[in-house]
Amino acid sequence: MNRTPEVSLRTELLAPLRRSPRVVVRLALWSAVEALPGFAAGRLVAGAVDSGFGAGRPGVGMAYLALLGVAVFVGAWATRQVYPRLAALVEPLRDDLVRRVVTGGLHAARTAPGRPDTAGVARLTQQVEIVREAYAGITMVVRRFVFSVGGALLGMCFLEPLVLVVVLPPLLAAAGLLALMLRSTTDAQRELLLADERLAAEAGAVIGGLRDVTAAGAERWTGDRLSTAVERQALAARRVARLTADRTLVLAVGGWLPLVLLLSTASWLTGHGVTAGGLLGSVTYITQGLQPALQTLVQGLGGSGVRLAVTLRRILESTPPEPAAPAPGPAGRTHGPYGVELSKVGFAYGPGAEPVVRDLDLTIGPGEHLVVVGPSGIGKSTLAGLIAGLLRPTGGEVRLGGRPLPADPAELARHRVLIPQEAYVFTGTLDENLRYLAPDAGPGDVDRAVAAIGLEGLVERLGGHRAQIAPDALSAGERQQIALARAYLSPADLVVLDEATCHLDPVAEARAEEAFARRRGSLLVIAHRMSSALRADRVLVMDGTDAVAGSHEELLTSSALYRDLTGHWRRPAGAR
């Protein structure tokens, strides 16, 4: 069933809140503390008047005002604590949108005919930043409105409940007016965004073909076409400006009308027991709580909120849907172990370049552990790329499980996993990073992968599987361990480790390689240390002109290069 755009948009807007419930709770708690001055202001002002200055006790009045100053200081301190929690919600949303836009742009460039989508640049450089800033702004606005208005109304309820009869009706009417205006404002803002994209596309086409325009004498025609795009954009901008001005009506009804009604009914209120301090405190709640919060909400929803809805919907419409989740994790594999076959494989980086791999025949049996060694720059990583399907051979064929390498990257990812030297870790929770290749893996599978790779200490230091992590806060070795655990948990039956343990100490490296050797499937290791060869079933020695495979003992006899690499400089007996 296809979701409507409104449902999809609502899901996207709520996703950051659902991903980080702890952050939301902390943000709410600090927001409640921040709203303390709004809740206490009217009551303290009423106390200063009724029990202090109005009763001829100025000292008591000053004490009430001093308490108000303390409340303001506490609220300001809480505001400072709000921003880090806000960043923890907003930045992952931005990262996700950048990934979507880049993925969609690459997909369109690969599959769509004709000129590339120039509007994709605007989505990446401008629209994603609009969403990021608008989401942060609207979160702050809605949060402040809820807690400020809630605090003010709660304060009035405790101070003088009768005042709510005067204040609530215009406030509710203003909310209804705002809801009616938002629809037309959203439509107008969307038209402005589309006009911006059309103008960017037209201008890009003209600039790219300026020489042809001049040669064909099409300057007037081209100028008229650009002028039309500019006029449409200007009309859309003027419509947005008119609707923005209309929002002042909401502020007048919800912000100023309650104050007018309160002052005009002051005699009736005092006749029903409301004190002078209660009236002044209620005025304080309206002018210092309701009015600023409503003004910020009107400006925020009408500005940042509309831009957020329109721009995010445009990004979602212009990017392809998320790819299907990979096959289930280790517990759900449906295919069996298989081997790798290379038949007369050759590869060169360019038509005239010297081949890095030439006529290589190699078989990695089902469940076999093969280590590749050789001097730096000899082509070991190239071989890993060929077997993993990242590089296509210029000669020969690579087969997985008796079949050619799948052309579809998603299909290929279900059969093999490659961990390069520089491991990739993304911003998010540790659990999201570990489950990236196996989203359906159970908690027990994750725990077994963590234990197998030796990640328990890092999990504890970070604060558990749900801890938020940032790649730049981790060492290179920690990133490698997370990537190794992710690969261990994946459903792939072929694991390729291209110096994926180079930042680990020898003990941690041995533990990781031994874990993968015990894991179901085949293992190919591009060795960083020669000790890896001692743990392998077979070793492949690459020397630039030939490749020799065998066990450690066999190669000590048959390969001078292997003896050099392992430090066995003395020629063994019987070696030639």
Side-chain angles (χ1 to χ4, degrees):
M1 181 181 296
N2 293 329
R3 296 178 300 173
T4 64
E6 288 75 14
V7 173
S8 177
L9 186 63
R10 184 164 59 248
T11 300
E12 295 294 332
L13 292 174
L14 294 178
L17 307 181
R18 291 170 177 164
R19 277 198 301 260
S20 307
R22 292 184 180 179
V23 176
V24 174
V25 170
R26 291 169 185 162
L27 182 62
L29 291 176
W30 285 116
S31 298
V33 177
E34 183 188 26
L36 178 62
F39 169 75
R43 291 176 58 84
L44 293 175
V45 167
V49 172
D50 291 337
S51 302
F53 301 112
R57 301 164 65 191
V60 174
M62 292 301 296
Y64 274 104
L65 296 182
L67 288 176
L68 179 58
V70 172
V72 170
F73 176 80
V74 172
W77 177 69
T79 301
R80 181 181 178 184
Q81 309 303 317
V82 162
Y83 284 95
R85 281 77 191 175
L86 180 67
L89 288 178
V90 174
E91 294 307 319
L93 172 65
R94 177 188 178 277
D95 294 342
D96 180 62
L97 289 177
V98 168
R99 177 179 57 80
R100 290 191 189 189
V101 171
V102 171
T103 302
L106 293 175
H107 175 77
R110 188 178 73 248
T111 59
R115 297 201 320 265
D117 179 19
T118 54
V121 178
R123 284 190 288 275
L124 180 60
T125 60
Q126 182 183 22
Q127 294 179 17
V128 168
E129 287 304 314
I130 289 176
V131 170
R132 173 179 174 269
E133 294 178 8
Y135 191 84
I138 206 65
T139 302
M140 289 292 285
V141 163
V142 173
R143 176 196 63 84
R144 186 169 295 168
F145 177 80
V146 169
F147 284 92
S148 296
V149 172
L153 294 178
L154 190 62
M156 287 184 192
C157 184
F158 282 109
L159 179 63
E160 297 289 354
L162 188 60
V163 173
L164 294 176
V165 177
V166 178
V167 172
L168 276 180
L171 188 63
L172 295 176
L177 283 174
L178 182 59
L180 291 175
M181 290 182 178
L182 281 178
R183 171 71 69 173
S184 57
T185 305
T186 301
D187 293 340
Q189 190 72 45
R190 174 180 171 79
E191 180 56 36
L192 177 59
L193 183 65
L194 293 175
D196 285 339
E197 287 190 3
R198 287 192 292 266
L199 179 57
E202 292 286 352
V206 170
I207 293 173
L210 193 58
R211 179 178 297 179
D212 294 334
V213 170
T214 304
E219 293 93 338
R220 181 182 296 276
W221 178 84
T222 303
D224 292 342
R225 186 168 178 173
L226 277 177
S227 296
T228 301
V230 171
E231 289 173 2
R232 288 177 178 173
Q233 188 212 33
L235 286 173
R238 283 195 289 269
R239 184 186 176 202
V240 170
R242 286 195 300 270
L243 290 171
T244 300
D246 292 343
R247 294 200 302 267
T248 56
L249 177 62
V250 176
L251 182 60
V253 173
W256 289 102
L257 187 56
L259 181 60
V260 172
L261 292 177
L262 180 65
L263 295 177
S264 61
T265 58
S267 176
W268 177 79
L269 290 172
T270 54
H272 286 76
V274 177
T275 65
L279 281 175
L280 191 55
S282 299
V283 169
T284 302
Y285 279 128
I286 293 174
T287 57
Q288 302 302 314
L290 297 184
Q291 278 187 357
L294 183 61
Q295 181 175 6
T296 303
L297 181 69
V298 169
Q299 293 175 346
L301 290 182
S304 297
V306 171
R307 286 196 300 273
L308 173 63
V310 171
T311 309
L312 182 56
R313 182 180 287 117
R314 182 59 179 160
I315 290 176
L316 296 177
E317 291 172 349
S318 305
T319 53
E322 291 292 298
R333 286 197 184 99
T334 58
H335 51 81
Y338 53 84
V340 182
E341 303 169 33
L342 281 72
S343 177
K344 301 298 181 185
V345 168
F347 181 81
Y349 289 97
E354 184 72 17
V356 181
V357 177
R358 179 187 289 117
D359 295 333
L360 178 62
D361 292 318
L362 177 67
T363 299
I364 305 176
E368 185 178 15
H369 176 188
L370 178 72
V371 167
V372 181
V373 299
S376 178
I378 206 66
K380 301 187 297 296
S381 292
T382 300
L383 176 62
L386 289 168
I387 293 176
L390 300 183
L391 300 175
R392 294 293 171 175
T394 53
E397 186 179 36
V398 180
R399 301 173 71 86
L400 297 181
R403 296 182 298 173
L405 288 174
D408 180 18
E411 176 67 19
L412 186 60
R414 281 190 279 270
H415 295 285
R416 67 93 182 96
V417 58
L418 167 68
I419 303 297
Q421 181 175 350
E422 295 302 325
Y424 174 69
V425 175
F426 56 86
T427 300
T429 66
L430 178 60
D431 192 66
E432 289 169 344
N433 272 274
L434 294 175
R435 293 174 185 262
Y436 182 71
L437 299 178
D440 296 329
D445 293 325
V446 176
D447 291 338
R448 282 189 289 273
V450 166
I453 301 301
L455 207 62
E456 303 98 322
L458 179 60
V459 172
E460 183 178 356
R461 183 178 71 79
L462 293 176
H465 291 274
R466 295 187 177 275
Q468 289 285 332
I469 60 175
D472 56 358
L474 300 171
S475 69
E478 290 170 339
R479 291 195 295 270
Q480 282 190 332
Q481 284 188 303
I482 292 173
L484 288 167
R486 178 196 301 153
Y488 187 92
L489 191 61
S490 80
D493 274 320
L494 172 64
V495 175
V496 181
L497 304 181
D498 185 4
E499 298 195 21
T501 58
C502 63
H503 296 297
L504 303 182
D505 60 62
V507 175
E509 178 185 61
R511 179 170 182 172
E513 289 185 4
E514 289 169 357
F516 278 102
R518 293 190 301 269
R519 179 185 181 272
R520 170 180 175 150
S522 306
L523 174 64
L524 174 66
V525 176
I526 306 301
H528 173 66
R529 298 181 179 95
M530 287 302 299
S531 56
S532 297
L534 301 178
R535 293 185 285 268
D537 298 326
R538 279 195 307 149
V539 181
L540 177 69
V541 184
M542 299 183 67
D543 63 6
T545 59
D546 198 4
V548 181
S551 67
H552 172 69
E553 291 75 13
E554 291 171 346
L555 291 173
L556 286 177
T557 301
S558 61
S559 174
L561 176 58
Y562 188 73
R563 290 194 297 274
D564 290 343
L565 292 173
T566 54
H568 292 266
W569 298 102
R570 176 177 295 181
R571 185 188 300 264
R576 298 173 55 187

